[in-house]
Amino acid sequence: MTCPIFANVGVSLSTEDDWTTSARLIEAPSGAGAFDTTIPVADVVGRMGAGLTVSGPGNFDLRAEYDGAFGDEYWSRSGMLRLSKRF
């Protein structure tokens, strides 16, 4: 049985202060028009991740991962657990 671990770090930089998109509702009355949505964007976002893979008997692998991104008034976290069989 093997159990390799891994980690990664990084940074994302942006010169934009916000991101804007326009949308409209397909089934809305024709006079409803479109609307804009604006979301602020962090100038600097730090990213990190870590995980491990456990390889077991019968060519089965179990992998666990964590990923995070953190910035000025922004954070995002995710986790994953994956079971796979190699052919």
Side-chain angles (χ1 to χ4, degrees), residues 2-64:
T2 63
C3 186
I5 60 173
F6 61 90
N8 59 62
V9 295
V11 65
S12 296
L13 306 172
S14 175
T15 59
E16 299 294 326
D17 292 330
D18 55 41
W19 180 72
T20 302
T21 186
S22 294
R24 66 178 186 83
L25 302 175
I26 293 174
E27 296 295 325
S30 60
F35 57 94
D36 292 338
T37 302
T38 301
I39 300 170
V41 175
D43 293 334
V44 179
V45 176
R47 300 181 184 280
M48 60 170 273
L52 63 95
T53 302
V54 178
S55 298
N59 290 329
F60 280 99
D61 291 336
L62 180 63
R63 183 176 180 117

